[in-house]
Structure formats: structure tokens, C-alpha cells
Amino acid sequence: MAAATNPANPAPDAQGDDVLKRLAEREAQGRSDDLESMAGTLEAPRERLARTIEHLARDGWLVRGESRYELTTTGRSRGRHLLRSHRLLETRLAHETGLAPEKWHERADRAEHALTPDEANALADALGNPRFDPHGDPIPDRDGNFATEAAPTLLDWPEGKPAMVVHLEDEPAALYAAVYRAGLAPGMTLHGVRRRDGRVELEVDGRWLSLSPAEAELVHLTPAGGSSVVGRRRLADLPPGATAVIAGLSPTIRGRARQRLLDLGLVPGTRIVREFEAALRSPIAFRVRGTLVALRREQTEQVLIEVSEAKS
Amino acid sequence: MNVVPNAPEAAPKLSPACEACPSRRTALRRLGVQLSDADFVVALAGNPNTGKSTVFNALTGLRQHTGNWPGKTIARAEGAFAFRDKRYRLVDLPGTYSLLSASADEEVTRNFILFGRPDVTVVVLDATALERNLNLMLQVLQISDRVVVALNLIDEARAHRVEIDVRQLARELGVPVVPCAARQGEGLPELLEAIAQVATGETKCRPPALRLAMPELEAALGTLAGRLAETFPGLPQREWIALRMLAGDRGVLAAAADGRLAALATGGDEALADVTAHGREEAEEKLTPAVAALLADIERRRWRLPPNLHDTLAESIYGQAGRIADACVRREGQSARLVWQSRVDRWLTGAWTGFPLMLLLFSVVLWLTISGANVPSGWLATLLVDHGHTWLRGALEAIHLPAWGVGLLADGVYLATAWVVSVMLPPMAIFFPVFTLLEDLGYLPRVSFNLDRLFQAAGAHGKQSLTLAMGYGCNAAGVVAARIIDSPRERLIAIVTNNFALCNGRWPTQIMLATVFIGALAPQRWSGLVAALTVAGIMMLGFFLSLGTSWLLSRTALRGEASFFNLELPPYRPPQVLRTLYTSLIDRTLFVLWRAVVFAAPAGAAIWLVANVHVAEKPIALWFIEALDPLGVALGLNGVILLAYVVAIPANEIVIPTVLMLTSLVTGAAGAGVGVMFDAEGGALRGILEAGGWTTLTAVCLMLFSLCHNPCSTTLWTIYKETRSAKWTAVSALLPIVIGMALCSLVALVWRSVAGG
């Protein structure tokens, strides 16, 4: 089947693959799972999972230590290949289809088992060899190498300290969908974190969001450098006829969409004038570097501008 | 010297007239597609909609279609010209904004310039938007140092009161810069001169280095460029190649693995540019240990790069473009033209004015086409059908051809062809030029702008309205035009739903039925208007069906929201009326007409044969017609029409001639009134059809069925080529038929129950 598979041992079933993938990820974080925690994350009944692990051990994918499991070389290479496939597939779904973000994980989970290493490489090439998936997770490279470190979550983040989102946990899907819809994505800078009435509030690019503790736990952060985050607004808020300077594109614009906007000259430091809107109020035409470019209303929410000095 | 003077050489004494003749001064010979024995290869690159195709046409004498909307040149075109005894092969590359995104277009452009090693790359810049165009310019300078800049649309820039310091620009870019207005031919002699000088090495280019404000990248780039020099001694443009490798550019990484970089380093020939992904497996064997180690090193380095590499890169290139533009461009106050254009834009896209003006404009185009086509159609019919047919029969009988031979050639092949020509030529000769004028003006992108919200609600892209607009000419062209939509999902939707744009092969059917059956219901002075409104209504129905099926597809098989959107609104440009008339007549009208004739002639023979070859005492056609009749009647049509649609699968144009021939056969009025369909009031035509059992219902249902049935075989083949999917080709064929049958039987059912018949 795959180059990552030892011809001597039969390929694992879908659950076996999930176990290998999970172990490969935990291993890279310097941790391991026992049966209990794995049954929890994979949402599988213990007996069935135990049987799967037994088969994996029998076929030489992993060995059982005292209280934990360790991958064999073939097991590690298949686990990393699966991680790579999964994250590449999610990246493709995010870049090229209009599928809702909470669906990415499920789709990728279904398709990852069938991908051969060559197909995964071809997919990576077609996507321009991305290094991170849309959730901010590193994609293992061709040799299976990747760096990963556990980051603190928004729930534990000190009040007032500016932060950058490095990772969004995509499970449970319902909570992830809520966080995504609130407008958070890896790469965003947020500040003004505070706790009110048991919820976490924060400011992202001129918009205040409020998350429940369970939602906040999905958001992993790293300290943000610089002060550039203060005073940003969104292009959507620019009144007709007014001029602004572009501060950047939101990380929620991905893939070719992002590259195309950059190609059209929507790069930081560019003057942008809001000209007129279409008869049905969207798209809106902007003058950028001597040309007229039309953006849909949703896109103007994702372009960040500096508040001009003439604000007062 | 960067700007080349007009008359570079002292010529022997000639008469003043000769001396003034542009053909002598430039010694340009346009060679069209004679590509052999070229001394030099010249690539043509530039942003979309900067007039690349116009420059191409002016130099080669070919007629690539031009128009004022981005992304028309979708395939690579090649032509040739000779200048001062040297032959040049000119390659028109797809228009791109950048070389960084690695989309298919950009890869074609990048690979050709980098690996194809053209002797000269001409970059066409739009003088009215220099800063934006410099983005691509600076990137091209990173992969080639034999570049000539054609600073096009300089006349437009003047009209916008934008002044460009050409000498300064040439100094900044380190390459010759030739201001020109390709549409008027201004500056072309100088451009040729500059191309020749760079090709022969007389002019040396000194492009500036790309200044990247990225300290964390500089170190990695330096090291990697050094390693590249070790692995591929003599490799040019090392810094840029290193940069692309770090950015994970598949094309460049593959080039390292399959030996193209090595060939580039040793001065490989241009055949290498044709090494495609297919040849890669074989090439992978050429992967030497040194290259493999280099690639592994790159993979490792990539982890240490900043996550927003692409953003920063784009920012620093644009930063440099901005600095150069500031140094070279002077704007003299507010341009009156710009003010005027934005006023026009506010009318054409305004909340209360946008849609009414759009409808008005399209109605005028339709009305011009319908009412204007009547008279010349009549003339052509008299000439070709009445006189020509009689004369041909006479001539064939005079050479003692047997009766079946005369029938096959004169009544079959000739008559079908003559009908197609007289029905199709006049409306096309009016519609295409008028439409091309709108296109030239720059109005079509405004239509996309206005309609995008509707398309967005249907999960599609506003540019789908452009592909639909192309579809009104020819659906196959509309399907190809869907390439302007970047995102795969929306592009597929545009391809599958393009058939609902009424193509010109179906126009005559609609116009004729609307005139003869619907227009005739109104008082005579209003009948033309009523007919035009009817056709407009069918067009609108097609538009909404396209939207509806897009919605359906994006809720089912192609689930998801529109993935990404961008649309540029080019400035309005005064159209060149005469040239437009000429080229649209030659390119589109005659081209489409020729295609129709090619299909009509054999179809004419087939029709004559099914009508005249008897099986068991009955013509074959009658057997089919009788078998199809029950289904036809259920759809509000009849067996004759369904048989005509089977015969007309190769081309929609011949539906009406087939229907008429078969109806004449059924009613036994064969040959009675071949000229009937061009009778001004259509009374005689109506007579024949009514004798064949036609009612107003039949006409209405046929108009609906003509809108919704399978695309012609050419379009289906194009869909297959564009999607590479038998499944989507089948969907494109079946979806309209199912909708058409449902619509027709519903109308027939309601009509009959209301009319009680």
C-alpha cells in the first residue's frame, strides 16, 4: 500500500490508524497516552480499542511498555504520514473549498487513510508546501519531521497581556465552530483579555469577542511582541470616500485568496480609498495603487487598516 | 541609451513617400504563424488587461481576441515576425499579477521565462497603473536579465494627466523602456528596435537587486545561494531560486530534482521548458545524492522561517515598486477623466440606476439585433434560397445528374447550408460587433460587479456573469472563459451552468419563433418590440436558471460557500469602433458561421436521406417522427422537433432548417415554399408550421426547450477538456435536458388545462 507500510505487516484499520496518528503526535510533544486517555480522545469503547491495540502490537506497529505504548519505526513513520496527510487535507479543504471549518476535520479523517506518501507529496506540492495547517498545527515534512510544543490556553492567560493565537483545537467540533465563527484564527493578535461573569472577553482587530470557558480552552496562545495591535480597524468600518492605510490581512484569508489579494497590492502600508459599492451593497470598490479592486463585504471584515492620524 | 530614437540608421536616398512609409522605416514583416527558423525567441509578459494581446497582434499580424477585461488570454499563443533580416518567434504568455502564487498561469509564465530562456522578455506595463504593474516587473527582473519594457497605454495615462519620466524609469529598472500606445501603433518601431538591440546583445540590461527587508531571511538565502552555486556551478539567478525553494515552490523544487536546474546551469536549450510533470517520474532517477542532500537541507531550513513569509515578501516587493513609482510618476492634479469615470461608475453601479441601465442596455442590443437582422435576412434568402436554389437545381439537372443526386445536393446539402447562412449571418453580424464594443468599453466587469451579490447567494462567483456573457456568443467559448475564475469549485459551477446562456446558434430559433408566433399576437406596430421583449424574457429566464442550478449544485454535489473572490474594474477606454467592427466580423462572426456551415452541410444530406429513403413504404423520418410523437406532445412539442434535436446534436444552428424540412415532408408540402421563413411577416412560414400542427403552445415550448437542452457536441467536448471529468460532462449534458423536459411538460399541462384543449 504505502511506502510507510512494512510489507510484512497488514495495514491497520481506520481505528488502528487513529491510534498510530495520536501516538505519533503525543510522541513529538514528548508525551504518551494510556488506554484510558486514548479511549477518551478517540471517543471509542475501551474493549474495542484494546483489541485494536493488540492487533497493532501483533503486527509490529507498536510495543507495549509498562503503562504506555511506544511506536516501532514502521509505526512512527505511518503515524507521521497520517498526521501529514490529515493536516494537508485540512489545508486543502481550507484553501480550495468553501466547506465550513467544522467539517474539515471530519472530511480529512475519512480521506487520510487512502493517501499514499507520493499522493501526500503531490498534494503538498500543489498547495505550495505549507508548513502549518489552518488550525496552526505543524505539518510533518517529507521525512516526517515536525516541531510542536504545547502552548498555554486562553483560559489560563493573564489579563491584559497581548497574545498571538498559535493553535485552535478543532475538537469538539461544535465548540470549534463557535470559536471560528466568533472570528478567531491562528496568527491573530488579541489584547485586552479580561474575565467577566465567568466568560473570557478579548479584543481582536477592533472587535470585542466573548467566549465561554470551554471555548477559551481550545485557543492556544503565545506572547505577542510589539505594539502594532493597538489602534487597528477593519476595512469594513471605513466610511465611503475615506482613505486609510492597510495594516495587514487577517489570517482567516488563506491560500490563493490571500496571495491574490497581496498580488493586487493589498499589502501593509498601502493607501486604500473606499470608492463606491454595487447596487446590491456588495461588493465594494476600492482604489488601490491606481486601480479599482472590488471586494465582497465579508472580505472587508478581513482586511485590517491603521486608524489614520486624522482620527480626531 | 534607453529610449531608442525613431530612425536609427541612415538610409540610402529614397523618395520622400517611401521614406515616410512606416513599413520601410521599421522593416517589420508580420509572419503570422510561420514559426520555423526563428533567430530569436521573444516572450511577452504582463499584468492582465494591459494590452499584451494588442502588442502581440500588432507585431505578428495575427488576431488574438482583445477586450477590456482581465484574463482573456488563457492559452499560450505564438506568432512570428521578421525585423531587419532576423526572424523572431513571439510567445504571448498568460497575463499574471505576480509570479509568487504558483497558480497554473503563473507557472506557465515563470517556467517559460526561467527555463525557456527567451532571448528577450517584453514586459507590457499599464502606464495608468504603473505601481501595481511594477510588482510583476520586479519579479521578472529576478529571473531574466534580457528584458524590454513596453510602457503601454501611454495615451490613456496622458488623458489621465499622469506623467511618467521614462528615462528615470529605465534607470531604476536597468532595462530599455519604450512608451507606446499599441492600439494606435504608437511606439511600435521603437519597441522593435529595443527588442532587436537586447536580442543581439547590443544593449546590456542591469536589473536592480530585489531589496528584501527581511533580516531573518537574508542569512538563509545567502547560505542557500552558496550551496546552489556548489551543486549547480554557473546557475544564474541563484538568489531568486533559493528564495523560491525556501517558499516551497513546487515548480522550482521539481526542477532541481529532475535535472532542469542542472541544465539551466550549463546553458541548456529551450526544449527543457517542455519537461512537464508527466516526465517527472523518469526524471526523478536523475536525482543525484548532492541534489537530494540540498533538498533535505531546504526542508530543514523552512521550519526556521517566519510563518508569514509570503506576506512579507509581497510587502517588500511592493515597497520597492512604490519607491520606483514615486520617483517616476507625476500626477498633475485631479484628472478630469478620473472624475468623469467615477461619475459614470456611480450611475452604472448605483442602487437605483445600476440594474435599470443594465437591462436597458441589453434590451437595446437585443432590439438592434432582432429588428436590424430582418431585412438583410430577407435579402440573403431571396439571393441564396430562391434564386440560388433554383439555379443550382437547373445546373445539376443540366449535367444530367440522377434525380437522387440532384435532391441530395440541391435540396439537402445546399438548402440546409443556405438556410443557416441567411438565418445566422445577419443577427451575428450585428450582435457580435455591438457586444464587442461593450466589451472594449470596459462595461462587462461592471456587470459582474453588480451581479456578484446574486451569484454569491447561489454559491458562485460574480465573474460567472462574464462567462455567461461569452456564452451568448458561443457556449464553448463561455466554458473556456471560465478559466478566469480562480477557485476550482466556482469555476466548475460556471462551466456546468453555461449552457443556460442562449448561444448564437439558438438565437435565430428564438428570434424567429418570437417574431412569427408571439410578435404576431400584438398589433403590427408593436410586434417587433413584443418579439424583442419575448427573447429578452427567455434570456432572463436562462440567467435565473443558471443562478438556480448554481445554487442547487452548491447545496448538493459542490457543497460550500464561495471560496474566494476578486474582481478588478478596469478604467473605461474609448473603443476603436472601426477596428472592433472589422475584427469581430472576421474573428467571431465568420468563424462561428463557418463552423455552422461545416455542420449544416452533412446534416442537410442526412435530413434529405431520412426524408427520402423509404423503409417499408415510408420514409425513415416518418418512422422516427411517429415513434417520438407521443413524448413530443407530452412536452408541448411534437415528434418532428424531437427528431430535429437528435439530428442537431452537432450544432444547434440547424434545428430550425431541420424542423422546416421535416415539417414540409410530413405535411407533403415539400419544396413548396423554401423561401418562406424569410417572408417579412412570416405568414407563409406560419402557414407551413400550422399545417404541421403547430400552435402558440408549440412555439412557447420550443423556445423553452431551445433554452434548456443538452449543449452541442463542441461544447460538450470543450467541457470534457476543461474539467477532465466524464462525470461533470454528463451532468452538464443531462441537467439542462431534465430541467427542459420538466419545464415544457409543466407549461403544456397548465396551458392545456387552462385553454381546455
Side-chain angles (χ1 to χ4, degrees):
Chain A
M1 178 197 181
T5 312
N6 185 333
N9 37 25
D13 61 6
Q15 193 178 55
D17 271 350
D18 287 344
V19 171
L20 294 180
K21 191 171 66 168
R22 173 77 186 164
L23 286 176
E25 186 181 13
R26 299 296 278 173
E27 189 186 71
Q29 294 166 348
R31 290 195 254 172
S32 182
D33 269 0
D34 56 15
L35 184 62
E36 209 61 54
S37 66
M38 195 132 49
T41 41
L42 297 181
E43 290 171 0
R46 281 193 50 183
E47 291 82 77
R48 165 124 169 63
L49 191 63
R51 215 167 35 243
T52 302
I53 291 175
E54 209 166 289
H55 288 168
L56 288 173
R58 182 196 64 201
D59 295 336
W61 297 102
L62 54 78
V63 289
R64 254 173 296 190
E66 290 129 46
S67 63
R68 33 189 272 168
Y69 306 102
E70 302 222 355
L71 291 165
T72 62
T73 316
T74 48
R76 181 172 305 114
S77 115
R78 172 134 189 103
R80 289 182 169 189
H81 162 65
L82 287 165
L83 265 185
R84 172 168 162 85
S85 304
H86 181 88
R87 291 176 180 174
L88 284 170
L89 285 165
E90 285 195 330
T91 309
R92 189 184 71 78
L93 290 171
H95 284 196
E96 289 179 4
T97 70
L99 208 66
E102 63 268 26
K103 301 261 169 63
W104 295 340
H105 182 77
E106 180 201 327
R107 280 273 187 105
D109 252 354
R110 259 184 286 144
E112 68 195 13
H113 309 286
L115 223 58
T116 67
D118 278 346
E119 284 165 351
N121 290 345
L123 179 59
D125 281 339
L127 292 168
N129 291 301
R131 288 175 294 150
F132 297 94
D133 77 359
H135 309 299
D137 288 321
I139 302 172
D141 62 23
R142 269 153 231 254
D143 304 323
N145 301 319
F146 65 113
T148 185
E149 48 198 69
T153 74
L154 176 57
L155 198 59
D156 314 321
W157 198 257
E159 294 206 352
K161 188 177 169 190
M164 187 172 89
V165 181
V166 284
H167 174 57
L168 283 188
E169 209 91 50
D170 61 1
E171 281 175 307
L175 285 182
Y176 170 66
V179 174
Y180 187 90
R181 250 179 248 119
L184 279 184
M188 282 184 165
T189 36
L190 43 96
H191 57 118
V193 176
R194 63 189 189 204
R195 290 176 180 79
R196 285 275 162 85
D197 309 327
R199 293 179 71 82
V200 183
E201 295 182 342
L202 49 115
E203 194 191 339
V204 181
D205 304 322
R207 295 274 191 285
W208 278 94
L209 312 177
S210 162
L211 299 179
S212 75
E215 289 162 359
E217 211 175 355
L218 300 186
V219 184
H220 293 258
L221 301 172
T222 186
S227 55
S228 60
V229 289
V230 188
R232 278 189 182 175
R233 290 281 181 279
R234 304 191 186 201
L235 189 55
D237 300 338
L238 189 68
T243 305
V245 173
I246 293 177
L249 301 180
S250 154
T252 46
I253 307 183
R254 302 187 177 85
R256 295 247 294 274
R258 184 180 195 85
Q259 287 165 350
R260 189 41 54 88
L261 289 186
L262 293 170
D263 292 343
L264 287 171
L266 282 99
V267 302
T270 307
R271 264 166 49 92
I272 186 165
V273 186
R274 179 171 174 154
E275 290 275 345
F276 54 89
E277 52 188 46
L280 298 171
R281 299 200 57 234
S282 169
I284 305 166
F286 294 92
R287 192 162 292 282
V288 183
R289 297 183 187 262
T291 58
L292 265 185
V293 174
L295 299 177
R296 281 184 177 164
R297 200 160 273 276
E298 298 75 24
Q299 287 174 303
T300 63
E301 283 285 336
Q302 300 173 309
V303 178
L304 310 174
I305 53 174
E306 305 280 0
V307 177
S308 74
E309 54 279 13
K311 184 184 149 196
S312 54
Chain B
M1 184 158 51
N2 293 309
V3 184
V4 182
N6 270 358
E9 283 167 38
K13 272 272 167 248
L14 283 166
S15 79
C18 273
E19 204 130 30
C21 171
S23 69
R24 218 215 75 73
R25 201 179 54 184
T26 66
L28 168 69
R29 275 192 301 132
R30 299 182 171 102
L31 297 176
V33 287
Q34 304 166 39
L35 302 175
S36 53
D37 308 324
D39 297 297
F40 298 112
V41 175
V42 180
L44 203 54
N47 276 13
N49 204 26
T50 51
K52 260 170 2 83
S53 297
T54 315
V55 171
F56 179 87
N57 292 347
L59 292 182
T60 60
L62 293 173
R63 282 185 305 269
Q64 276 262 46
H65 178 56
T66 60
N68 190 6
W69 46 288
K72 290 168 301 54
T73 306
I74 22 208
R76 199 174 86 178
E78 299 197 17
F81 64 90
F83 179 68
R84 295 230 192 88
D85 306 328
K86 294 285 184 205
R87 296 169 78 95
Y88 294 79
R89 186 157 75 99
L90 188 62
V91 181
D92 193 8
L93 298 169
T96 58
Y97 292 111
S98 153
L99 299 178
L100 292 176
S101 316
S103 68
D105 280 357
E106 298 186 7
E107 220 172 308
V108 169
T109 303
R110 196 268 316 280
N111 283 356
F112 191 81
I113 301 176
L114 183 63
F115 301 118
R117 314 242 78 198
D119 297 288
V120 185
T121 301
V122 177
V123 182
V124 183
L125 300 184
D126 176 354
T128 61
L130 189 62
E131 190 178 339
R132 221 278 300 286
N133 282 248
L134 282 174
N135 178 45
L136 176 71
M137 180 73 221
L138 289 170
Q139 294 180 45
V140 169
L141 286 178
Q142 299 312 303
I143 55 174
S144 173
D145 53 6
R146 308 176 86 183
V147 175
V148 171
V149 172
L151 187 60
N152 196 22
L153 299 170
I154 197 80
D155 51 332
E156 293 288 304
R158 269 184 233 125
H160 280 290
R161 304 178 69 186
V162 172
E163 219 172 291
I164 296 176
D165 185 342
V166 176
R167 283 166 162 278
Q168 178 67 24
L169 185 61
R171 251 196 306 278
E172 296 273 358
L173 297 176
V175 299
V177 175
V178 183
C180 48
R183 297 207 303 174
Q184 282 77 32
E186 184 188 328
L188 289 179
E190 293 83 349
L191 182 63
L192 281 167
E193 190 63 46
I195 292 173
Q197 291 199 356
V198 172
T200 54
E202 262 176 77
T203 303
K204 285 266 179 289
C205 302
R206 302 188 202 299
L210 201 57
R211 272 175 283 162
L212 302 174
M214 303 169 74
E216 58 281 55
L217 189 63
E218 298 279 327
L221 269 186
T223 326
L224 192 55
R227 287 208 57 173
L228 278 171
E230 284 167 32
T231 319
F232 306 107
L235 183 71
Q237 282 93 33
R238 280 190 298 272
E239 292 258 318
W240 186 86
I241 289 172
L243 180 64
R244 295 311 297 154
M245 286 179 149
L246 284 174
D249 186 317
R250 58 173 157 166
V252 177
L253 288 169
D258 66 21
R260 268 180 296 164
L261 280 192
L264 188 61
T266 54
D269 55 25
E270 62 184 83
L272 283 167
D274 297 327
V275 177
T276 54
H278 303 297
R280 234 164 93 182
E281 275 168 35
E282 180 189 328
E284 220 124 86
E285 288 161 20
K286 294 185 199 151
L287 188 60
T288 61
V291 177
L294 176 75
L295 292 179
D297 182 37
I298 292 165
E299 289 263 5
R300 271 195 306 280
R301 284 176 194 282
R302 293 189 63 224
W303 286 110
R304 283 177 246 141
L305 296 176
N308 52 354
L309 178 68
H310 190 96
D311 286 33
T312 330
L313 202 57
E315 188 182 342
S316 54
I317 297 173
Y318 259 118
Q320 201 165 342
R323 277 192 298 278
I324 295 177
D326 283 345
C328 304
V329 180
R330 217 172 46 237
R331 282 168 204 279
E332 302 261 327
Q334 178 74 292
S335 142
R337 187 128 173 203
L338 204 62
V339 173
W340 172 82
Q341 294 213 340
S342 37
R343 198 167 297 155
V344 173
D345 263 334
R346 280 183 172 77
W347 276 94
L348 290 180
T349 62
W352 299 105
T353 49
F355 281 99
L357 283 174
M358 192 167 72
L359 287 178
L360 186 72
L361 217 55
F362 281 122
S363 304
V364 168
V365 172
L366 268 182
W367 177 79
L368 274 177
T369 308
I370 293 175
S371 61
N374 257 339
V375 179
S377 268
W379 292 341
L380 278 175
T382 315
L383 183 71
L384 295 177
V385 180
D386 294 350
H387 299 307
H389 181 241
T390 321
W391 178 86
L392 184 69
R393 269 198 86 96
L396 291 175
E397 276 161 2
I399 58 167
H400 304 297
L401 222 59
W404 65 266
V406 175
L408 185 67
L409 288 178
D411 301 342
V413 174
Y414 176 79
L415 208 52
T417 315
W419 270 346
V420 165
V421 171
S422 29
V423 175
M424 284 189 65
L425 182 57
M428 279 192 334
I430 298 172
F431 177 76
F432 279 140
V434 175
F435 191 78
T436 313
L437 282 179
L438 279 184
E439 199 180 332
D440 259 19
L441 267 169
Y443 180 61
L444 293 190
R446 269 76 186 176
V447 174
S448 296
F449 183 68
N450 275 339
L451 293 173
D452 179 66
R453 188 70 193 78
L454 293 179
F455 282 97
Q456 189 186 7
H461 196 296
K463 281 188 198 164
Q464 193 171 324
S465 58
L466 279 179
T467 67
L468 284 175
M470 287 303 284
Y472 289 126
C474 171
N475 291 130
V479 167
V480 174
R483 291 188 194 171
I484 60 170
I485 300 173
D486 297 322
S487 50
R489 199 184 69 93
E490 284 91 279
R491 178 167 165 237
L492 194 53
I493 291 180
I495 288 176
V496 173
T497 60
N498 192 270
N499 188 47
F500 292 110
L502 207 59
C503 75
N504 79 81
R506 295 180 273 168
W507 280 87
T509 312
Q510 300 287 350
I511 294 173
M512 210 188 72
L513 292 171
T515 313
V516 172
F517 282 92
I518 315 292
L521 295 176
Q524 183 157 10
R525 54 192 299 218
W526 296 111
S527 60
L529 184 68
V530 169
L533 285 177
T534 309
V535 178
I538 292 281
M539 272 178 73
M540 289 295 287
L541 180 67
F543 173 77
F544 283 108
L545 279 173
S546 171
L547 269 183
T549 43
S550 301
W551 182 85
L552 202 70
L553 284 170
S554 55
R555 288 293 170 286
T556 54
L558 295 166
R559 222 183 338 233
E561 294 304 311
S563 27
F564 64 89
F565 175 82
N566 64 75
L567 175 69
E568 214 193 316
L569 302 174
Y572 296 102
R573 286 177 197 154
Q576 290 180 296
V577 179
L578 287 179
R579 178 166 306 175
T580 301
L581 288 181
Y582 174 74
T583 52
S584 68
L585 205 67
I586 300 292
D587 291 352
R588 293 182 162 180
T589 313
L590 291 187
F591 173 79
V592 176
L593 187 70
W594 173 243
R595 200 180 70 89
V597 166
V598 166
F599 281 111
I607 296 163
W608 189 85
L609 288 173
V610 292
N612 289 279
V613 175
H614 288 63
V615 173
E617 311 285 302
K618 254 201 293 191
I620 298 175
L622 273 184
W623 289 100
F624 280 112
I625 291 169
E626 281 164 15
L628 289 169
D629 226 26
L631 176 63
V633 170
L635 297 176
L637 306 169
N638 57 42
V640 168
I641 297 173
L642 290 187
L643 178 60
Y645 268 100
V646 175
V647 176
I649 283 177
N652 288 305
E653 293 86 339
I654 53 178
V655 166
I656 283 294
T658 314
V659 164
L660 278 177
M661 280 185 157
L662 294 175
T663 305
S664 311
L665 172 80
V666 175
T667 56
V674 281
V676 287
M677 53 194 293
F678 316 103
D679 175 29
E681 278 91 52
L685 173 61
R686 193 181 169 127
I688 286 201
L689 290 175
E690 280 179 344
W694 285 50
T695 61
T696 312
L697 171 66
T698 321
V700 170
C701 284
L702 180 53
M703 287 176 86
L704 291 175
F705 195 69
S706 154
L707 178 69
C708 310
H709 68 89
N710 58 297
C712 70
S713 52
T714 314
T715 305
L716 283 175
W717 174 239
T718 312
I719 292 174
Y720 180 72
K721 275 198 301 189
E722 292 294 309
T723 60
R724 289 261 148 238
S725 152
K727 180 185 135 199
W728 286 111
T729 312
V731 169
S732 315
L734 294 177
L735 194 69
I737 296 191
V738 171
I739 292 178
M741 289 197 166
L743 209 58
C744 287
S745 45
L746 188 72
V747 167
L749 198 71
V750 172
W751 188 293
R752 283 175 184 141
S753 59
V754 170

